[in-house]
Amino acid sequence: MRIGIVGYGKMGRLFRECLSGEHEVRVYSQHERMDFSSLRELYSWAEIIVLASSLSILPHQLKELSTLSKELGGTKVIFDIATFKADIVGLYRHFPREVKVASVHPMFGPGTASLRGRRFIVVPVPGREEDSKVVGELIKSLGGKVEFLEARTHDRIMGFVIGVPYFLGLSYLALSIERGLGRFGGTSHAFLETYGKAVLNDSPDFVEEVLKRSRGEIEEFLQFLREGKPNPSKLRKRLSEEEIKKAYERFYRALE
Amino acid sequence: MRIGIVGYGKMGRLFRECLSGEHEVRVYSQHERMDFSSLRELYSWAEIIVLASSLSILPHQLKELSTLSKELGGTKVIFDIATFKADIVGLYRHFPREVKVASVHPMFGPGTASLRGRRFIVVPVPGREEDSKVVGELIKSLGGKVEFLEARTHDRIMGFVIGVPYFLGLSYLALSIERGLGRFGGTSHAFLETYGKAVLNDSPDFVEEVLKRSRGEIEEFLQFLREGKPNPSKLRKRLSEEEIKKAYERFYRALE
């Protein structure tokens, strides 16, 4: 398939790398001259368009693509890979029917080695739910695992599974730096601090955006923390010995 | 050297395994018949005694060893490897002078492959500070890295570098189970949840003990969280690009 990638940040690069083996992949970037000099050129060439741009540029590019699709026609599949969806999905409403659209969230970062077996959440565009099935099938054909979530539910869950971890990792890192804990820390400390540092591999703007949009869920988690300390015996009953053993092995693997 | 290990839980096993290559190592356990049938037998044989017993048995064994050392005499090095020290160090006061004593905290768990390069904190017994230098040198000769900390400072730092991570890992795991987040979680989620599960590799009693003894530090951390969200740009300035890159690689290694 001819896959056009819009945006050449860390995720754009990752998608190009992972998809180039089996597909023809070309890139358009606003910031540097890649394979095309305009979105129009990319649109004319591509069968599939993946928008890997930042949340600030994405709305403009979606509007331009929507206009281009009416002018130039053609059967395409178009989806973005932004982290938050509630402000995005509405922008897909006015694409012509022959263009299949959805918003997609890859649940991994640029450190992954392959798309195979990785999880993608597909967020349907309201009124175009059928399109999201086409997009889901396409992602499966690229090796991904697919879940479907409505935009607001998606954003709320992301607050919990990205926003809260980011917040905890960075807060623990800040505490560690402030109090000079590094000298005395053992494996638990190293694991959490490693995570805090890994979060900073994302751009500060992106991290700020995640924290801002997850404010509600972070507040809920803080409330959860205040309500009582965790009960290890109760938690243990919810997990198999095997699960705990494997987690412990993975934990040490990160520290080697 | 003849090293006698008291207690044959996960850490006792680890020490036996790691030290057996270069030393003669024998074990006494209250729970199962190992190399000795009593502490007295172990005491008579060993040059170095490592107490790897649980926090509930340890005080009794220290008292017994103190009595034995007066009765049987001999030059020995004796230290425990318990996680909290304030209630322990006083029990070493009455050993005869020819027995060198200190309290030691290995800053790693039973998942480690070797003691080499691993961090140990040596906590001096008040009034016997010279002894702790002997113990420190011994641990260096076994391949460990040594830091010294006074008991109360040690316990307070442990509240931050073990208690707070345990609390965060288990709380996040509890949230994840309660809300069914696993299905939608990506890499950040998986990393934190892995940590929460890895904590449960310790016995529930030990985890409860850690949480209980770290109550003050956990409360301080919660206060720290309430005071404001972390600032990624500011944190980035405290770290090198190299550090962030390496942390990100380690982060993905745990997820493979």
Side-chain angles (χ1 to χ4, degrees):
Chain A
M1 288 183 290
R2 293 194 304 275
I3 303 178
I5 294 174
V6 180
Y8 202 53
K10 285 177 183 161
M11 288 304 279
R13 276 164 228 256
L14 174 74
F15 272 74
R16 184 168 90 154
E17 212 162 281
C18 292
L19 297 172
S20 288
E22 296 177 41
H23 303 279
E24 213 180 328
V25 182
R26 294 190 190 169
V27 175
Y28 166 75
S29 163
Q30 276 202 348
H31 304 293
E32 47 189 319
R33 174 80 175 110
M34 300 289 300
D35 305 314
F36 305 107
S37 57
S38 67
L39 261 187
R40 174 183 286 267
E41 270 183 31
L42 174 135
Y43 185 91
S44 306
W45 175 82
E47 295 167 286
I48 293 158
I49 299 175
V50 181
L51 289 129
S53 345
S54 67
L55 268 168
S56 55
I57 303 177
L58 182 58
H60 307 286
Q61 291 178 329
L62 274 175
K63 275 175 208 157
E64 193 180 337
L65 286 172
S66 176
T67 308
L68 284 168
S69 65
K70 281 167 213 150
E71 185 192 330
L72 302 172
T75 309
K76 316 261 174 191
V77 176
I78 301 181
F79 63 89
D80 71 274
I81 56 164
T83 303
F84 292 93
K85 302 306 193 185
D87 298 347
I88 299 294
V89 282
L91 302 169
Y92 284 100
R93 282 211 182 123
H94 305 300
F95 278 86
R97 282 287 146 193
E98 64 268 30
V99 177
K100 302 300 174 195
V101 294
S103 198
V104 172
H105 188 186
M107 295 304 295
F108 48 86
T112 193
S114 150
L115 304 187
R116 208 148 290 278
R118 288 290 180 193
R119 187 172 286 169
F120 293 74
I121 296 177
V122 175
V123 176
V125 173
R128 303 189 66 148
E129 284 75 10
E130 287 301 310
D131 284 18
S132 64
K133 291 183 193 159
V134 178
V135 173
E137 286 308 314
L138 171 68
I139 285 168
K140 281 184 204 160
S141 78
L142 302 175
K145 285 183 192 164
V146 173
E147 295 273 354
F148 293 88
L149 276 180
E150 174 270 322
R152 291 210 179 274
T153 310
H154 167 275
D155 285 7
R156 189 162 154 69
I157 290 178
M158 291 313 115
F160 285 120
V161 301
I162 305 180
V164 170
Y166 272 35
F167 175 74
L168 294 181
L170 293 176
S171 297
Y172 187 74
L173 177 63
L175 177 89
S176 169
I177 292 176
E178 196 175 281
R179 306 226 172 197
L181 300 175
R183 240 181 101 192
F184 305 107
T187 43
S188 275
H189 169 84
F191 194 82
L192 269 203
E193 202 181 67
T194 291
Y195 176 64
K197 290 177 184 172
V199 170
L200 294 174
N201 186 57
D202 286 331
S203 76
D205 283 356
F206 178 75
V207 178
E208 287 283 8
E209 185 81 32
V210 168
L211 293 175
K212 201 179 77 189
R213 289 187 188 247
S214 309
R215 217 159 9 194
E217 290 77 27
I218 290 170
E219 203 33 70
E220 266 185 63
F221 183 69
L222 289 178
Q223 189 52 41
F224 182 79
L225 292 184
R226 280 191 281 270
E227 277 160 14
K229 65 174 175 47
N231 182 330
S233 312
K234 217 175 104 190
L235 282 170
R236 256 198 165 202
K237 287 192 194 112
R238 305 290 298 267
L239 302 165
S240 69
E241 280 299 319
E242 185 61 21
E243 245 178 311
I244 292 172
K245 210 182 122 225
K246 274 196 182 157
Y248 194 66
E249 285 165 10
R250 277 202 298 278
F251 167 65
Y252 263 91
R253 204 182 303 143
L255 301 169
E256 270 151 23
Chain B
M1 288 183 291
R2 294 194 303 275
I3 304 178
I5 295 174
V6 180
Y8 203 54
K10 284 177 184 161
M11 288 304 278
R13 275 163 228 256
L14 175 75
F15 272 72
R16 185 167 88 152
E17 212 162 282
C18 292
L19 297 172
S20 288
E22 295 177 41
H23 303 281
E24 214 179 328
V25 182
R26 294 189 191 168
V27 174
Y28 167 75
S29 163
Q30 277 202 346
H31 304 293
E32 48 189 317
R33 174 80 175 112
M34 300 291 298
D35 306 314
F36 305 107
S37 58
S38 68
L39 261 187
R40 175 182 285 267
E41 269 183 31
L42 174 134
Y43 185 89
S44 305
W45 175 82
E47 296 168 285
I48 293 159
I49 299 175
V50 181
L51 290 130
S53 344
S54 68
L55 268 169
S56 56
I57 303 179
L58 183 57
H60 307 288
Q61 290 178 330
L62 273 175
K63 275 174 210 159
E64 192 179 339
L65 286 173
S66 177
T67 308
L68 285 168
S69 66
K70 280 169 213 151
E71 183 191 331
L72 303 173
T75 309
K76 316 260 174 192
V77 176
I78 302 181
F79 62 89
D80 71 276
I81 56 164
T83 303
F84 292 94
K85 302 304 191 186
D87 299 346
I88 298 293
V89 282
L91 302 169
Y92 284 101
R93 280 210 184 124
H94 304 299
F95 278 87
R97 282 286 147 195
E98 64 269 29
V99 178
K100 302 300 173 194
V101 292
S103 198
V104 171
H105 188 185
M107 297 302 296
F108 47 87
T112 193
S114 151
L115 305 186
R116 209 148 289 279
R118 288 290 179 193
R119 187 172 287 169
F120 293 74
I121 295 177
V122 175
V123 176
V125 173
R128 304 188 66 148
E129 285 75 10
E130 287 301 310
D131 284 18
S132 64
K133 289 181 194 160
V134 178
V135 174
E137 286 308 314
L138 171 68
I139 285 167
K140 280 185 205 160
S141 79
L142 302 176
K145 284 183 191 164
V146 173
E147 295 274 353
F148 293 89
L149 276 180
E150 174 271 322
R152 293 214 176 274
T153 312
H154 167 274
D155 286 8
R156 189 162 155 68
I157 291 178
M158 291 314 114
F160 285 121
V161 302
I162 304 180
V164 170
Y166 272 34
F167 175 74
L168 294 181
L170 293 176
S171 298
Y172 187 74
L173 177 63
L175 177 89
S176 169
I177 292 175
E178 195 175 283
R179 306 223 171 199
L181 300 175
R183 239 180 103 192
F184 305 108
T187 43
S188 276
H189 169 83
F191 194 81
L192 269 202
E193 203 183 65
T194 292
Y195 176 65
K197 290 177 184 172
V199 170
L200 294 175
N201 187 57
D202 286 331
S203 76
D205 283 355
F206 178 76
V207 177
E208 288 282 8
E209 185 80 33
V210 168
L211 293 176
K212 201 181 78 191
R213 290 188 188 247
S214 308
R215 219 160 6 195
E217 292 75 27
I218 290 170
E219 203 33 69
E220 267 184 63
F221 183 69
L222 289 178
Q223 189 52 39
F224 182 80
L225 293 184
R226 280 191 281 270
E227 275 160 15
K229 64 174 174 48
N231 182 330
S233 312
K234 219 175 103 189
L235 283 169
R236 257 200 163 200
K237 286 192 195 110
R238 304 291 296 266
L239 302 164
S240 68
E241 280 299 319
E242 186 60 22
E243 245 178 311
I244 292 172
K245 209 182 123 223
K246 274 196 182 154
Y248 194 66
E249 285 165 11
R250 277 202 298 277
F251 166 66
Y252 263 91
R253 205 182 302 143
L255 301 169
E256 267 152 25

